[in-house]
Every structure is written in structure tokens, then in C-alpha cells.
Amino acid sequence: MLAGEASGDLHAAKLMRAIASIEPGARFVGMGGRAMADAGLDVAKDLAGMQVVGFWEVARKYGFFKRVFNQLFDRVKQERPAALICVDYPGFNLRFAKEVKKLGIPVLYYIVPQVWAWKPLRAKKMVAFVDRAFCVFEFEPPFFEKFGLKTTFVGHPLVDCGLPPLVMPQRADCGLKLTPGPKTVALLPGSRAKEVNAHWKPMCKGFVLARDRMKSIRALLSLQAGTVLPRDTAEIEAALYNENTFSHDGFAPVEKRQILIAPKSEADRATLKAANESDQSHTSMLSQAADFSVVKSGTSTLEAGLAGNPMCVVYRGSWASYSIARMLVNIPVISLVNIVLGRYVVPELLQDDVNASRIAQEIERGLTDERYRTQQKEALAELPKKLGGPGASQRAAQGMIDFLKGR
């Protein structure tokens, strides 16, 4: 089993449990995080150092990735597993799968690389070393099969995350029961420290501008371990009222993920404490509890979209990585919500547009324009069907067992 980041760790853990429910004697070894370890993975490599974003950023750590590659490949040669199961994480997994296939070991891919967006010809190369691809989007099988790659559409595991029915989500079901009050904005800057540090300031400043004009709104801010914050966390709460208090002096990293609320609410202290101690996805909790969400581009946009409430998507990276990405990407939108729905439903803010003014505009529109809110909700209600409905992990597990048994 190979997963290289937090979301893949969660989906791989569900897959492992599903496989074990069909084949109780199954044993798993490979790379993963806490979720996979809890599901029974013999951890040959944890996720420390693996969650890197951007072409240049990855290149700088080439030596580290090469050592991990060799360590895992040696373990595969020792174990001679019945199959290699790759979960997402294409930069590493595709290269690893190519070498493992040379050993005569079947390669199965779950949550396949999004080469349809940026390197379509890579799908043709995958045919040589991927025996079966288990796809999470319904448009993927036709794309891959025209290159000769055998696929199975199983749906997206996010639909199995226990989200309430769409159209009119029930906030009581999300695990974050805030006291009745002003309209709520969720600020979701990402899960990787570098992404969070690129997004949380403009998100907070945008909220400040919107709050100053609308007066009565509140924010929920999700921060992940490694986020750089002022040493006194009260400073960030103050910053949500006065953008001038943002400073680069005396910053320290956050040791564990947390949810902050502004204005500070003693009434919601117990609720936030419970949420911060929960393993549930912040994106899932906050986007269900909020009237509008500002979400970093990535899989989290699907989580937020499945909650059914209006949102906008943002992304800002290094200009070097962004410029390379724009040259490679051959689709007009970046948000998975827009890609899956096949049209521009949620606004996308990129690079310089990720600023306080633009984010404030989206927050105000998303909270006050009822026609706009209704249109987004109706479109987002189409997501579960587009993503295959519940049961993705079990379908993938059954498909993999059937393949390995020659059925």
C-alpha cells in the first residue's frame, strides 16, 4: 500500500478495512499515516516529509525522495506482495509502480492521477505498468480506456464520510453545534503547512473587510499542524478585527490542528474543544456549519461541495510552480467541484486574486445574494450522483479481490 499524504491515508485506510472484510487474512505493508496504521498497516515509511507541494519544492528534496523510494523498493523485494496498491500521490507512485511491475507484481491504482487535466499522454504510458485503475470520477474510464488502460468506476470515497443529505443539510449532524447567532463563514486554507501559510492571512483579511461592511458575521478558521502563527494566539483573534496586527515578528508553528472562532465565543468553547479533539475532517465539519466557505483548491473542495452550502475556491502558490502548472494544465477550471459538475459553479480565485478585497466580495455575495445562493445549492446537490453514491471503498475492495482471483 502506498499513500503519500493525509487524504490518501484516510481513503487507503477505508480501502484496507474493506479488503479485510472480504479477505480477513489480508496483510498490508507500505507507506501511510496514522489512519492506515490504525487499519493494520505494517508501516515501512510514515508520511513525515512526504507532503510537499510544487514542482520546484519537490525538486529541492530529490535526495530525500530517492532514499524513501529505495527503502520501500527493498521492502517490496523482501515481501513479494500479491499486489501493489497505489493511492493517489502520482509524482512518487507512478515511478514506483513502474519499477515494481518489472518484478512481476500486479499494480492496482486507486484514485488515479489526474492526467486528464495536465498530462494526457501519460495515460498511455500507464498502460505498461498499471494492471487495473479504480476510478473515482465517472468521466475517467472513457478517458483512460481510449489509451488501453483497463478501468473500473467505483465512485468517490468522500461520499461515504457520513455527510448529511444534501439540498438542505442539517447542521445538527455535522458535529459542530454553534450557538445561534450571526451568519458564519468557514475559512479553510488547506492541510499542508506551506499552503496554509499562503492562504490564511488573505482569508482572514478578507473576512475582516466583509465583517466591517456587514457588521454581524463570524468566522471559523481551520489551522493545521505546522501553520506559522503569532506566539500569542490571541493575536490572530485580534487580527480578525484589525488587519494591521498581522506581523512576521515572533511567529511560532502550531503543534496540532485547531479550529478558531472570531469573534471569540465563550459559549462555543466546549463545542470547539470537542471539534479540535475529533478526528473528523475540518472541511467536513466547518463547511456544514457555515453559511459560506472559502476553500483552498484540492480534494477539500469536494468535501465542502458535498456539504451543499455556497463556497468559493482559492489557490496561491509560488510563481515558478504556478507558471509550470499553467503550461501543463489543459482544462479551463481548477476546482474539482467545477470539473465534476462540468461547468463553472463555484468562483475560483488564483494567485494575485487571492487577496482581501476579492475574498471579501465573494463572502458578501455568498451571504447576501439569495438567488446566487440557491443556484449554487441546486448545482452542488448534483455532486453525490456524479461521484457514484455511497460504497466506493467496498466496491474498490471487491474489484481488487476479484481481479487478483482472476474473476
Side-chain angles (χ1 to χ4, degrees):
M1 301 288 297
L2 286 184
E5 54 190 357
S7 61
D9 180 46
L10 293 174
H11 298 322
K14 291 180 193 174
L15 177 64
M16 289 166 60
R17 290 192 171 95
I19 291 173
S21 73
I22 302 169
E23 290 286 327
R27 176 173 171 262
F28 306 93
V29 61
M31 178 168 66
R34 189 177 74 174
M36 291 172 71
D38 290 346
L41 181 73
D42 178 353
V43 180
K45 172 67 179 81
D46 61 21
L47 299 187
M50 301 302 294
Q51 301 182 74
V52 180
V53 179
F55 298 94
W56 173 243
E57 292 81 355
V58 170
R60 290 173 61 186
K61 294 187 66 174
Y62 174 79
F64 165 78
F65 285 114
K66 184 66 175 175
R67 288 192 297 273
V68 172
F69 189 106
N70 291 337
Q71 172 192 342
L72 289 171
F73 194 63
D74 286 343
R75 187 66 183 270
V76 169
K77 288 188 286 187
Q78 293 168 13
E79 296 282 352
R80 301 299 300 189
L84 169 69
I85 299 176
C86 298
V87 182
D88 202 1
Y89 205 60
F92 185 95
N93 283 351
L94 287 175
R95 290 174 175 82
F96 197 84
K98 185 176 181 180
E99 294 305 309
V100 168
K101 182 63 178 176
K102 293 176 183 177
L103 301 177
I105 295 170
V107 173
L108 309 178
Y109 217 115
Y110 182 51
I111 311 181
V112 293
Q114 295 171 6
V115 294
W116 36 263
W118 50 283
K119 283 189 176 179
L121 290 181
R122 182 169 281 187
K124 187 175 182 179
K125 296 179 181 179
M126 288 170 61
V127 175
F129 56 86
V130 175
D131 292 280
R132 182 64 56 88
F134 294 85
C135 301
V136 298
F137 299 124
E138 65 178 357
F139 58 80
E140 289 180 324
F143 169 82
F144 284 105
E145 287 174 359
K146 70 184 179 183
F147 293 99
L149 182 63
K150 294 181 179 179
T151 67
T152 301
F153 173 54
V154 295
H156 206 293
L158 281 178
V159 184
D160 292 329
C161 288
L163 295 173
L166 297 190
V167 186
M168 292 298 291
Q170 297 299 312
R171 293 188 182 187
D173 293 333
C174 74
L176 192 60
K177 304 176 182 66
L178 299 176
T179 54
K183 290 184 176 180
T184 304
V185 179
L187 305 176
L188 296 155
S191 59
R192 301 179 182 91
K194 192 162 187 176
E195 290 176 336
V196 177
N197 292 328
H199 297 124
W200 73 267
K201 286 185 184 180
M203 285 185 178
C204 287
K205 291 180 179 181
F207 170 78
V208 168
L209 290 180
R211 183 202 58 83
D212 287 346
R213 291 196 283 258
M214 299 181 67
K215 303 304 179 186
S216 184
I217 60 174
R218 62 185 169 187
L220 292 167
L221 173 64
S222 168
L223 295 171
Q224 300 293 328
T227 304
V228 178
L229 281 179
R231 294 187 182 279
D232 179 1
T233 55
E235 287 185 40
I236 190 171
E237 293 167 353
L240 292 170
Y241 291 92
N242 179 1
E243 60 182 294
N244 294 325
T245 63
F246 282 107
S247 167
H248 285 283
D249 299 327
F251 279 18
V254 172
E255 294 183 359
K256 64 178 183 178
R257 70 172 197 162
Q258 59 181 299
I259 298 170
L260 299 179
I261 188 170
K264 189 173 181 179
S265 171
E266 292 299 322
D268 290 319
R269 174 182 286 183
T271 296
L272 292 178
K273 183 176 184 295
N276 285 326
E277 293 173 352
S278 168
D279 287 332
Q280 188 177 348
S281 160
H282 279 193
T283 303
S284 174
M285 285 193 289
L286 269 59
S287 56
Q288 289 178 66
D291 298 283
F292 185 81
S293 299
V294 184
V295 189
K296 190 274 305 179
S297 179
T299 305
S300 55
T301 63
L302 285 182
E303 283 191 88
L306 284 166
N309 289 321
M311 58 189 281
C312 73
V313 174
V314 303
Y315 189 79
R316 184 168 69 181
S318 71
W319 272 107
S321 292
Y322 178 77
S323 298
I324 294 171
R326 290 311 300 172
M327 288 189 291
L328 296 175
V329 171
N330 59 3
I331 56 175
V333 292
I334 65 160
S335 163
L336 282 172
V337 167
N338 289 337
I339 292 170
V340 171
L341 293 175
R343 61 191 190 277
Y344 196 84
V345 172
V346 300
E348 299 178 353
L349 307 183
L350 303 177
Q351 294 300 94
D352 287 346
D353 279 340
V354 182
N355 61 63
S357 177
R358 287 290 287 113
I359 291 173
Q361 289 175 23
E362 295 301 335
I363 290 174
E364 291 179 63
R365 184 186 182 195
L367 292 177
T368 61
D369 188 333
E370 287 303 321
R371 182 181 177 188
Y372 172 67
R373 287 177 56 79
T374 298
Q375 288 174 338
Q376 261 211 46
K377 284 187 173 186
E378 289 175 349
L380 294 174
E382 301 172 23
L383 274 177
K385 185 177 179 181
K386 290 278 190 180
L387 294 174
S393 301
Q394 200 68 33
R395 288 192 292 271
Q398 187 64 63
M400 291 178 181
I401 296 297
D402 288 346
F403 173 83
L404 294 174
K405 290 187 174 182
R407 293 198 291 263

